[in-house]
Amino acid sequence: MKANGVPEIGRESLVFEPRTGGTSAAATGYGRAVSADPPQRAVEVRRSARRRRTVSAYREGDRTVVLIPARMSEAEEQRWVGVMLDKLAAQESRRTFGDAELTERAAQLSEQYFDGRARPRTVRWVTNQNTRWGSCTPAEGSIRLSHRLQGMPEYVVDYVLLHELAHLLVPGHGPRFWELLEAYPRTERARGYLEGVVAAERLPKVPAARGE
């Protein structure tokens, strides 16, 4: 499973350049886009004309505050709010599985979504996968996950595990393969998260202006 870039996880801000305009507003409740956040915690978006290229987020009492450039479009706002909430959730509930836990989790996911039909011989973390989130060798029954996934939300790690487990049943990425992954309700959300991480890495690193 290709990453198409090197992500950065564990930072409280993303650097990017807004492409379209937007109006100042505060927003709460983004439905599925922010479902990683506790339901009782409101989300407030604060726009700033001085903020040009950075997005940041922090907890403030029972609220999550997301700071964005004033020119950002509503679609971009919703996308980056979701990314930042996921990153905050990952920081607050960071849990690193060892190889044994990863193997146990793979067995649980296979039983839950594939009726136990995907049975890997080995599941382990590796540090030499710079362009893939995970890989699978069906002939050996081996699954390898990039260490860069460590610290990401568990539903993202679960998705990558399921992706590789599915390859034990279907080698390619044809319709049959994606039908298997449709059983996992967070497939699209996890893919969006990984795409957002890659997109953030590809954006130019511009120093933040004073006061941001």
Side-chain angles (χ1 to χ4, degrees):
M1 182 178 181
K2 291 187 178 180
N4 297 321
V6 181
E8 291 182 354
I9 295 297
R11 299 176 59 185
E12 291 189 357
S13 61
L14 299 174
V15 178
F16 68 101
E17 185 170 356
R19 291 171 292 180
T20 58
T23 58
S24 297
T28 60
Y30 275 72
R32 289 185 61 191
V34 299
S35 59
D37 218 33
Q40 70 275 15
R41 193 189 296 271
V43 178
E44 179 182 345
V45 177
R46 298 177 184 173
R47 292 175 176 262
S48 170
R50 293 189 304 169
R51 182 175 291 269
R52 300 300 185 195
R53 293 183 173 86
T54 61
V55 173
S56 61
Y58 59 90
R59 305 297 193 194
E60 186 177 80
D62 60 354
R63 294 182 300 171
T64 299
V65 178
V66 181
L67 307 174
I68 65 174
R71 294 171 54 194
M72 183 178 288
S73 71
E74 291 185 6
E76 288 175 318
E77 173 186 315
Q78 182 164 341
R79 176 189 174 196
W80 287 105
V81 165
V83 169
M84 295 308 293
L85 289 180
D86 277 336
K87 286 171 71 65
L88 280 176
Q91 290 171 358
E92 293 170 350
S93 60
R94 183 166 296 176
R95 180 184 175 191
T96 301
F97 291 165
D99 288 351
E101 291 176 305
L102 205 59
T103 299
E104 182 180 355
R105 183 60 179 159
Q108 293 172 347
L109 290 169
S110 176
E111 186 66 33
Q112 182 175 357
Y113 294 102
F114 302 149
D115 297 322
R117 291 179 294 127
R119 299 178 180 178
R121 293 190 181 93
T122 61
V123 184
R124 60 192 176 92
W125 295 108
V126 294
T127 59
N128 61 351
Q129 291 193 154
N130 296 319
T131 60
R132 292 176 179 271
W133 297 117
S135 60
C136 172
T137 305
E140 299 176 358
S142 62
I143 289 175
R144 299 162 297 279
L145 262 58
S146 171
H147 73 288
R148 292 172 295 134
L149 289 163
Q150 294 176 342
M152 291 191 189
E154 289 184 18
Y155 76 88
V156 176
V157 178
D158 282 353
Y159 165 71
V160 177
L161 266 176
L162 280 165
H163 186 108
E164 304 309 331
L165 285 167
H167 279 310
L168 294 177
L169 305 174
V170 180
H173 289 98
R176 221 175 123 231
F177 174 85
W178 294 111
E179 285 174 8
L180 287 174
L181 287 183
E182 283 179 0
Y184 183 56
R186 293 189 171 186
T187 288
E188 289 304 318
R189 186 169 177 225
R191 292 181 68 186
Y193 180 93
L194 293 172
E195 289 170 1
V197 169
V198 172
E201 172 60 24
R202 287 177 172 175
L203 291 164
K205 303 298 184 292
V206 181
R210 293 182 62 184
E212 291 192 2

